[in-house]
Amino acid sequence: MESGATRDLVILGSGPAGLTAAIYAGRAELHPLVLEGEPSSSSDQPGGQLMLTTDVENFPGFTHGVLGPELMVSMRAQAERFGAEILTERASRVDVDSVPIAVWIGDPAAPEPTLRTRTLIIATGARSLMLGLENEARLLGYGVSTCATCDGFFFRGKQIVVVGGGDSALEEALFLTKFGDSVTIVHRRKELRASKIMQDRAFTNEKITFRWDSVVTDVLGGDRVTGVRVRDVNTGEESELAADGVFVAIGHAPSTELFAGQLEMDKAGYLLTREGTRTNVPGVFACGDAQDHIYRQAVTAAGSGCMAAIDAERYLSSLTES
Ligand SMILES: Cc1cc2nc3c(=O)[nH]c(=O)nc-3n(C[C@H](O)[C@H](O)[C@H](O)COP(=O)(O)OP(=O)(O)OC[C@H]3O[C@@H](n4cnc5c(N)ncnc54)[C@H](O)[C@@H]3O)c2cc1C
C-alpha cells in the first residue's frame, strides 16, 4: 500500500460490526478501507467470530437460519458492492492522537505509518477464552459452543456441560436449563467466583449439578460431541461425563490491546463509548463486541456498526463545514 495516503475512513475488523459499517459508509460514498485481519494471526479471524460456527438461527431475515460463514461471505460481498476496499491485513499499531490518525500495517516499529485516515471505526471484536483442547476446536459448532443465547435452542432435551465458575458461567447454565434436561457445571475449584445471588439461583435449580475440583481434559465425539473427559484435580482420577453440548464459559477478551493507553476502556479492556459510538478521541468510533460485554450478538454488533458509520459520516461532514 502506498505510504502516506490519507483516507476518509478506515475500519478495523470484518465481523458483523465492521462489515455493516462498511456497507453504510460505502453507500454514503466514503470509500471505506476495511482491514479484515490476518488469518495467520492467532487473534484475528477475517469475517469475525461467526466464521467459527455453523447454524445461525437468530439473525433476522433468514426464516430457516443461515450458516455463519455464508452470512459473513454475503456481508463482505455486499460491502464490496458499495465500494468498500477490503484488505486481508491487520493493523499492527495505531496512533489515534496524530491528525490525521496514523495506522501501521506490518512492522509496528516503522517510522512512518502505512496510511492516515480522518476517521477510524474500531470493530476488532472479542475472543472467547477456550480450554485449548484439540477436540474442543474441532467440535466448535458441533456441540461445543461459547454462547448459550446463540446455541441453547439446539439442545432441547439434551445433556449439557458448562465449564466455568464465574457469573457468566452461571448465567449461561441457568439459561440452558430452559432447554436441556440436565446441566452439569464443571469447575476447577470447590467454590464459585460468581456473585452470591447467581450462586443461590444455581444451587436451587434442580436441573443443575456441579462437578467440583475438576477440569475438562478432552472433548469426546466423532462428528458431534458425545461427552467430556474430566480430571479430579485432587486425586488425578479421570472419568467420562456424557453430554450432547459443552458450553465453555471461562471468559471473553476484547481485541483492544492496540488502543491501550490511547482510548478509554474498562478494566476488562472493553472500549468505552458515549453519544452513540464515539470514543474519547474525536474521529474515533467503536462498535460491536470490542465495546459490548453485555449483548455480544451478531445483530447488536451489526446495529452498532451501522451507528458507527453514521457517526463517522456526520463527523466528516462537520470537518468540511468548519
Ligand atoms: C462459536 C460462536 C457462535 C456464535 N453464534 C452466534 C449466533 O448464533 N448468533 C449471534 O447473534 N451471535 C453469535 N455469536 C456471537 C457473534 O459472533 C459476535 O457477537 C459477533 O461476531 C461480534 O461481531 P464483531 O464484528 O463485533 O466482532 P468479531 O466477529 O469478533 O470480528 C472482529 C474482527 O476484527 C478483526 N481484527 C481483530 N484485530 C484486528 C486488527 N488489529 N486489525 C484488523 N482487524 C482486526 C478480526 O479479524 C475480525 O474480523 C457467536 C460467536 C461464536 C464464537
Side-chain angles (χ1 to χ4, degrees), residues 12 19 35 53 67 75 159 200 205 209 243 258-259 283:
L12 303 183
L19 290 179
L35 302 185
T53 194
L67 291 173
M75 273 194 208
Q159 291 173 285
D200 289 346
N205 189 306
T209 53
L258 277 186
F259 316 104

Side-chain angles (χ1 to χ4, degrees), residues 11-272:
I11 298 170
L12 303 183
S14 60
L19 290 179
T20 304
I23 292 166
Y24 274 76
R27 294 189 76 246
E29 308 216 312
L30 299 182
H31 311 291
L33 172 69
V34 180
L35 302 185
E36 66 173 350
E38 251 183 41
S40 60
S41 157
S42 59
S43 59
D44 295 2
Q45 177 66 61
Q49 295 167 63
L50 285 187
M51 299 300 283
L52 303 173
T53 194
T54 48
D55 299 301
V56 177
E57 290 196 332
N58 53 12
F59 199 88
F62 299 91
T63 316
H64 302 290
V66 59
L67 291 173
E70 201 176 304
L71 177 62
M72 296 321 297
V73 166
S74 262
M75 273 194 208
R76 193 181 196 278
Q78 193 178 356
E80 285 182 316
R81 180 176 156 229
F82 294 116
E85 189 186 337
I86 303 180
L87 291 183
T88 310
E89 301 276 6
R90 76 183 324 262
S92 54
R93 178 179 159 202
V94 171
D95 180 355
V96 296
D97 287 328
S98 70
V99 182
I101 297 155
V103 179
W104 280 256
I105 295 171
D107 182 6
E112 286 302 314
T114 316
L115 57 96
R116 289 184 179 272
T117 179
R118 290 177 191 88
T119 58
L120 181 72
I121 292 181
I122 300 168
T124 48
R127 302 178 295 277
S128 298
L129 303 181
M130 303 299 287
L131 301 169
L133 304 169
E134 204 175 302
N135 285 329
E136 172 198 40
R138 182 176 62 82
L139 292 166
L140 191 62
Y142 298 91
V144 175
S145 175
T146 54
C147 175
T149 310
C150 312
D151 297 331
F153 191 82
F154 298 122
F155 295 92
R156 280 184 180 280
K158 307 279 188 194
Q159 291 173 285
I160 299 171
V161 162
V162 172
V163 187
D167 269 334
S168 59
L170 294 201
E171 208 171 285
E172 300 274 279
L174 285 160
F175 182 74
L176 289 166
T177 59
K178 290 178 198 274
F179 308 100
D181 269 359
S182 71
V183 176
T184 306
I185 298 177
V186 178
H187 183 46
R188 60 191 163 146
R189 300 206 179 86
K190 211 174 202 84
E191 284 149 24
L192 297 165
R193 273 180 292 114
S195 58
K196 171 91 173 55
I197 185 163
M198 293 301 286
Q199 295 197 29
D200 289 346
R201 280 187 204 154
F203 290 144
T204 52
N205 189 306
E206 58 189 23
K207 283 194 184 174
I208 295 183
T209 53
F210 288 86
R211 187 65 84 91
W212 301 110
D213 285 334
S214 298
V215 290
V216 171
T217 55
D218 201 1
V219 179
L220 310 173
D223 294 345
R224 291 203 62 85
V225 167
T226 56
V228 288
R229 180 165 294 126
V230 172
R231 187 177 64 230
D232 184 307
V233 293
N234 296 320
T235 63
E237 199 178 306
E238 297 231 338
S239 56
E240 288 184 8
L241 201 57
D244 307 283
V246 180
F247 286 77
V248 181
I250 55 176
H252 284 86
S255 302
T256 56
E257 299 84 354
L258 277 186
F259 316 104
Q262 301 193 65
L263 293 177
E264 286 175 9
M265 39 180 89
D266 69 12
K267 268 195 251 155
Y270 288 92
L271 294 168
L272 297 180

